[in-house]
Structures are given as C-alpha cells and as structure tokens.
Amino acid sequence: MMDPVAERKMQFLFSLRSHGVTNKRVLTAMEKVDRGKYIRGTFEDRAYEDTPLPIACGQTISQPSIVALMTEALDVQPRHKVLEIGTGSGYQAAILSQLARRVYTVDRHRRLVKAAREVFEAENISNIIAFTADGSRGLPEQAPFDRIVLTAASEDPPGPLLAQLRIGGIMVLPVGQSDAVQTLVKVTKTDEGLNYQELRAVRFVPLLEGLGKENT
C-alpha cells in the first residue's frame, strides 16, 4: 500500500495540475512546502484540501490552487527580489522563498507576522524577511522589486507599489470591490507603460491601509 502521506501529496499535486498549473519549479515548491505547518488548530487536518481556510485576525489562507496560479503568473526567477503584501499564514511567502533569492513580506497584523516568523525559523527558511507595516505603502526603502504579489484585493493596483516595481517587473494582485468577486490581474511594467492581463475570477479580503489593532 502507498504511504498515506505520499498518497496525499500525489493527490495534492494532481489537483494543482487539474487547475492548470504546469510550471515544474512551482509544482516542486508546492510539493516541498508543507501547508499543514502554516495552519493551526481545528483546520490542520484539512491542510491538503484545495480550499481557503480561516486563520487568526479574521484572515484566510488561500486555497493551494490559487497560490500556485498566482506564483506561476509571477514567473519568479532565482535571482529575483520579491515583495509580498499580506503575509497571512506565511504559506505564500514560503512558496516564493523556494523560487527567489529573497522575499520581503509585509502584514498589518503583528500577531500574524510573529506566527509566520516562528514557522519560517522552525522550517529553516532564511531568505524571508517579514515586517509589520502598512502594506498599501510597500517597502520603499527596499525597492525596486523584481516581483510584487498582493494577497488582498485593491480597487486598482496601488500607485506606491507600482512605483516600487522594477522596469520589466511583474505584479500579480486581485482587483475589484471587496464585497464582490474580483479579478486576478497580472501587471507587467515596461519602458512604455503598464500592460494588464486578466487571469481569472477570485475572492480575497480587502487591502486595508494602516496597521491592525494589536488586540486582534
């Protein structure tokens, strides 16, 4: 009989491929990073289901197929410096850490950043730097970035983040009203301007300005 863990991983990867994820580096990263490490409490046993799950501070961990599709659209290369807005559980940053030289991740909730840092340390992931900060402003002191990903929805791609994207860089984010289905958009910054590509319908929590309340 097949080992239950191996069987679960095989089903997990099959699910990703069935959703159109084909990039081998992305699939390898998804296989290597254990989603269960980033989910605590009641929902741990559902870590390999292709579904979003609740985490602390009223946030969610995105479903793996969406994480994979966003990562694939980013086209991260080994020398790239990546900015993630919305650390959440830390799962997306961990996936990116397998593909990029360095990942900077920002969240407005100190509690989430602290928990994510603990997992990164436990998993010996040394190329992620996590900050508690207002993600809508990005990290200008570390700019420019080769890739930027937002795991929260904005009505338009935020100007401060576009300014921190390198020429030739790619930003992937959900665009639309927070109470409606949004569109996942890929923005490529060129010398001539910005190119937009709509990828698929998604649903994310809204991108909020400022820091989260410390008691959340």
Side-chain angles (χ1 to χ4, degrees):
M1 291 181 62
M2 181 180 289
D3 173 64
V5 175
E7 184 176 7
R8 188 174 63 174
K9 279 198 171 185
M10 186 175 73
Q11 291 172 345
F12 178 71
L13 292 172
F14 177 79
S15 173
L16 296 180
R17 290 190 180 97
S18 70
H19 281 86
V21 181
T22 58
N23 185 288
K24 289 183 179 179
R25 292 181 68 235
V26 173
L27 289 168
T28 298
M30 297 291 292
E31 181 179 17
K32 187 172 181 180
V33 176
D34 183 357
R35 189 175 185 239
K37 303 288 186 183
Y38 299 86
I39 301 171
R40 300 181 179 186
T42 311
F43 298 98
E44 280 185 54
D45 61 344
R46 300 181 62 187
Y48 277 91
E49 294 180 17
D50 191 39
T51 185
L53 295 170
I55 58 173
C57 303
Q59 305 300 297
T60 58
I61 179 172
S62 299
Q63 65 196 79
S65 60
I66 294 295
V67 171
L69 287 166
M70 291 178 75
T71 304
E72 189 170 62
L74 277 174
D75 188 27
V76 179
Q77 300 301 314
R79 298 300 301 167
H80 280 168
K81 182 170 69 171
V82 181
L83 173 63
E84 177 194 34
I85 305 300
T87 307
S89 68
Y91 179 62
Q92 172 76 80
I95 297 295
L96 293 169
S97 76
Q98 302 293 316
L99 305 168
R101 176 173 59 87
R102 189 165 300 280
V103 178
Y104 293 85
T105 183
V106 174
D107 203 288
R108 64 196 298 268
H109 295 287
R110 192 178 308 277
R111 178 180 170 188
L112 294 180
V113 172
K114 180 176 182 291
R117 281 176 178 158
E118 289 172 356
V119 183
F120 300 151
E121 186 174 342
E123 295 296 296
N124 294 313
I125 302 174
S126 59
N127 64 335
I128 300 176
I129 303 176
F131 296 88
T132 304
D134 180 352
S136 66
R137 300 183 180 182
L139 281 177
E141 65 275 16
Q142 299 294 340
F145 295 95
D146 301 290
R147 300 289 187 265
I148 300 177
V149 59
L150 280 74
T151 59
S154 176
E155 291 189 26
D156 295 292
L161 299 182
L162 288 171
Q164 292 170 38
L165 187 64
R166 188 186 302 278
I167 296 294
I170 294 171
M171 179 189 296
V172 173
L173 76 160
V175 173
Q177 299 284 344
S178 62
D179 58 351
V181 173
Q182 304 122 6
T183 302
L184 192 64
V185 173
K186 176 179 179 178
V187 185
T188 305
K189 188 174 187 178
T190 72
D191 288 317
E192 289 75 35
L194 301 170
N195 294 330
Y196 295 86
Q197 179 185 355
E198 295 187 356
L199 302 177
R200 57 161 292 157
V202 289
R203 189 183 291 275
F204 279 81
V205 298
L207 178 67
L208 300 175
E209 295 184 0
L211 298 179
K213 294 179 181 178
E214 284 309 298
N215 62 356
T216 55

